[in-house]
Amino acid sequence: MNLNHQSTACKGDAYCLDGMRARDQSTPTKKPKSPKPENAITIAVSSRVLFNMDVEQQIFERKGLEEYLKYQLDHETEPFAPGPAFPFIKALEAVNEQLRTLYPESEELFDVVLMTNNHAHVGIRLINSINHHKLFIERFCMTGGNSPIGYLKAYHTNLYLSADSMKVREAIDEGIAAATMFSPEKVTQVSETQLRVAFDGDAVLFSDESERIYKTQGLDKFFEHEKTHENKPLDHGPLKGFLEVLGKLQRKFYAKGHRMDCPIRTYLVTARSAASSGSRALKTLRAWGLETDEALFLAGAPKGPMLAKIKPHIFFDDQMFHIEGAAELGTVAAHVPYGIAQKVPPKKLKDGKETDSPSK
């Protein structure tokens, strides 16, 4: 059991605090109202991606549950430092602030739910940390090791972020958009006023149909397949729905004359080449009624340097090759464990390095 991770299913020792939060002197007395789950864009995060809990996790793994709980209680008044998801959550709150100004009666807002395997005693330190950092998180689920799937579905979750790859796989298997977050190797300053989200294409926004062709039949057959099916939209991947809700919010800003200064910006960052296989990706988005603000076709070049220029709050990819490359250059990356790439090892170049597929 990984204590510092999310988990949730309405069972015995699970605790859900909905609309309840400890108050301290730093907490504003007047705060916005949480939207109803059925109206909101719900982002579920685990405590270990919202905050840096590396020390606590090591204590749990080395000394066990009782020592872990004792440490948490002894350090209850010490707030956790920010984790990899922290800037992303702050950016969501910045978008909400602008939405509330433009649409004061609307509940179509981001709503963050903290889901954690932690014992309820640890909840006090989490609440203190949320208040210390002035985060607006009203909904908690502390589940003591149970599966998160029940609660994720109950909250109509649009995206689940965790450091626990097993729980992420479980969520994806149940049709919930999810990714395993990784901390970058260096700190990068990201925008505090514009949410930036970067997506890989195949097996993230799109299905792994094209990836399967490459893995099983090779590069030439992949190009041939993409040319033949250029006008046939790809099936959806696990993150398509999240891009969809981002686009819906973007259109609300456009309707108020804020296209050029929209506080949400999206990116397609793919290893596909524009000439040989890019058209199908763009035509698929068009067929869905979706778009990204920018599309980068890298033709197999590393994604890390381009992401370092974009400075997204989060980058989604299904291949660890790209996750590691992004993290090395300071990008918060999230692994989407979906598709054939999870089953077939990367091909090796002559120098022994791994290579990804051109459809990525």
Side-chain angles (χ1 to χ4, degrees), residues 257-268:
H258 292 283
R259 176 177 284 273
M260 298 306 296
D261 61 346
C262 181
I264 302 172
R265 194 164 184 84
T266 56
Y267 305 79
L268 172 65

Side-chain angles (χ1 to χ4, degrees), residues 53-327:
M53 300 179 71
D54 291 348
V55 171
E56 292 77 7
Q57 182 69 6
Q58 289 176 9
I59 291 171
F60 170 69
E61 292 174 353
R62 295 174 182 175
K63 298 184 178 180
L65 176 59
E66 296 307 318
E67 285 297 316
Y68 168 84
L69 291 175
K70 182 179 184 301
Y71 181 90
Q72 293 282 30
L73 292 172
D74 290 344
H75 294 78
E76 195 167 81
T77 60
E78 299 176 15
F80 293 112
F86 190 93
F88 175 66
I89 299 304
K90 291 292 287 184
L92 299 182
E93 293 186 350
V95 173
N96 275 356
E97 185 176 346
Q98 295 193 51
L99 282 169
R100 287 189 173 101
T101 299
L102 295 174
Y103 299 93
E105 302 302 318
S106 176
E107 287 196 322
E108 199 169 27
L109 303 161
F110 291 111
D111 189 27
V112 179
V113 179
L114 182 66
M115 292 195 179
T116 173
N117 280 359
N118 272 298
H119 190 281
H121 287 323
V122 183
I124 299 300
R125 190 178 182 195
L126 290 169
I127 289 170
N128 289 341
S129 298
I130 285 171
N131 286 336
H132 172 81
H133 292 290
K134 296 181 173 60
L135 295 172
F136 183 70
I137 299 178
E138 294 288 312
R139 295 187 168 108
F140 280 29
C141 286
M142 293 171 280
T143 67
N146 287 332
S147 166
I149 301 302
Y151 293 149
L152 292 173
K153 289 184 174 180
Y155 277 119
H156 307 277
T157 301
N158 297 96
L159 178 66
Y160 172 53
L161 300 172
S162 175
D164 189 327
S165 60
M166 295 301 293
K167 290 184 176 63
V168 167
R169 286 177 183 274
E170 186 181 359
I172 285 181
D173 287 345
E174 292 294 326
I176 298 168
T180 309
M181 291 197 79
F182 292 85
S183 297
E185 295 186 12
K186 62 180 182 180
V187 177
T188 297
Q189 292 299 116
V190 293
S191 175
E192 295 182 357
T193 58
Q194 184 181 62
L195 170 66
R196 298 176 186 173
V197 183
F199 299 89
D200 178 29
D202 297 87
V204 175
L205 290 178
F206 314 131
S207 73
D208 67 340
E209 169 201 320
S210 300
E211 179 76 0
R212 287 179 180 275
I213 299 295
Y214 169 72
K215 293 289 187 185
T216 58
Q217 300 180 41
L219 183 59
D220 290 340
K221 287 293 184 182
F222 162 75
F223 286 136
E224 181 182 326
H225 178 268
E226 292 306 286
K227 186 64 177 176
T228 301
H229 297 84
E230 179 179 329
N231 295 312
K232 179 184 177 182
L234 288 152
D235 199 359
H236 67 85
L239 269 293
K240 182 248 189 178
F242 185 54
L243 175 62
E244 197 167 32
V245 295
L246 292 178
K248 189 174 182 181
L249 292 183
Q250 283 181 308
R251 289 190 290 274
K252 295 186 74 169
F253 286 105
Y254 300 165
K256 296 289 187 177
H258 292 283
R259 176 177 284 273
M260 298 306 296
D261 61 346
C262 181
I264 302 172
R265 194 164 184 84
T266 56
Y267 305 79
L268 172 65
V269 183
T270 173
R272 282 177 177 254
S273 59
S276 60
S277 55
S279 291
R280 192 178 186 198
L282 295 178
K283 287 181 178 180
T284 294
L285 291 174
R286 181 186 295 172
W288 291 346
L290 300 178
E291 61 181 332
T292 56
D293 294 292
E294 299 187 30
L296 286 73
F297 294 92
L298 303 184
K303 297 182 181 181
M306 299 305 295
L307 291 165
K309 297 296 183 183
I310 294 171
K311 293 182 172 61
H313 292 88
I314 191 168
F315 163 60
F316 297 99
D317 203 292
D318 70 307
Q319 296 198 36
M320 286 303 300
F321 175 82
H322 290 304
I323 297 296
E324 292 164 0

